Amino acid sequence: MEDDDGSGRHPVVWSDVTTHAPGDLPGAIILSEALTRFAVVDPIQNARRSPPSATPNRRFGMLTSINITGLKTYGYHGLFDEERTLGQKFTFDIAAKLQDVETHRDDQLNSSVRYDAVVEEAIMIAGSSRFQTLEALGETIALGLLGRFELMESVVVAVSKQSPPIPHTIDQVGVEVSIRRCELTQAQ
C-alpha cells in the first residue's frame, strides 16, 4: 500500500501507532491484519511529531555523508615525463561517510566536517608529491582525509584526468579508491 504522497514509504515511530477496529479508517495503513484490532499509522500526526526522547535504550542514528564533486586542480602526476613536467587538469570527487550522530537539528558543526577544509586538505595532498598512478594519488588523499578528520568513518576518492596520453579520443580516465577507518592500520 502507498501512503498519501505516493512514495510507498511508511515512516513508523512507536508513538504513531494507534489501534482501530476494522473499517474505522478507510485507506489507512494497516500494520497487522493478524490481530482482531488493527494497528494504524496516522501519516499526518507522524509528520508533526518529533521522535520520542523518553524511550529507554533507544538511539536514533543519523547516517550522514558529505559529497564534493567536480573539484578541479592542476597537477603534475602521471607515468610519463611529459605529464610530470607539463602537468594537466585533474578532477576529484570525494564522498565521506561520517560517524552516526543522534541529530543535526542543533545545527552545530561538531557533528560534521567543514567542506572547505576537506577541499583544502585534498588539494594540499595532491600538490605535495608527484604520483605516477592515479591509484596512488587517490589512496594518499583518502588516507590523509581519514587522518585529519576524525568524524569520517570511510571515504571514497575518485580521481580523473582529462588529457591522458592515449592516442584515441577519450573524455577522461580515472580511478576510484575507498577505505574505511577500521582499515587504517592495515593500509599504513
Side-chain angles (χ1 to χ4, degrees):
M1 290 183 197
E2 292 190 359
D3 61 356
D4 289 340
D5 69 2
S7 70
R9 293 174 292 173
H10 306 293
V12 177
V13 178
W14 71 271
S15 62
D16 298 326
V17 176
T18 57
T19 58
H20 294 276
D24 281 354
L25 296 173
I29 303 163
I30 299 173
L31 296 177
S32 173
E33 293 185 26
L35 303 173
T36 55
R37 297 179 61 80
F38 292 50
V40 179
V41 174
D42 183 348
I44 295 169
Q45 288 293 351
N46 187 38
R48 292 184 188 139
R49 291 188 183 135
S50 56
S53 58
T55 308
N57 300 324
R58 171 115 181 195
R59 278 198 65 205
F60 290 92
M62 182 67 56
L63 305 176
T64 307
S65 60
I66 63 165
N67 299 291
I68 298 167
T69 57
L71 173 60
K72 295 182 184 348
T73 188
Y74 202 84
Y76 299 90
H77 312 293
L79 186 59
F80 301 105
D81 289 336
E82 295 80 12
E83 293 178 288
R84 291 191 305 274
T85 304
L86 301 174
Q88 59 190 308
K89 293 178 185 175
F90 291 85
T91 303
F92 300 93
D93 294 330
I94 301 167
K97 298 228 183 281
L98 304 182
Q99 293 176 0
D100 293 355
V101 295
E102 188 172 323
T103 183
H104 288 293
R105 288 180 298 202
D106 61 358
D107 203 22
Q108 298 297 310
L109 190 59
N110 61 356
S111 59
S112 190
V113 297
R114 289 183 51 156
Y115 316 129
D116 61 331
V118 174
V119 167
E120 291 304 318
E121 185 73 11
I123 295 296
M124 188 274 304
I125 294 169
S128 67
S129 296
R130 295 184 182 195
F131 297 91
Q132 289 189 46
T133 66
L134 296 178
E135 292 85 349
L137 174 58
E139 181 179 350
T140 302
I141 291 172
L143 290 170
L145 292 175
L146 285 176
R148 171 147 182 223
F149 300 102
E150 290 182 24
L151 290 176
M152 287 185 181
E153 285 296 319
S154 65
V155 66
V156 177
V157 177
V159 184
S160 59
K161 55 183 174 180
Q162 286 69 37
S163 303
I166 299 173
H168 300 284
T169 303
I170 297 175
D171 289 335
Q172 63 185 5
V173 297
V175 300
E176 182 177 282
V177 176
S178 63
I179 191 164
R180 295 175 294 178
R181 179 167 300 283
C182 63
E183 298 167 338
L184 264 182
T185 55
Q186 299 168 3
Q188 293 178 331

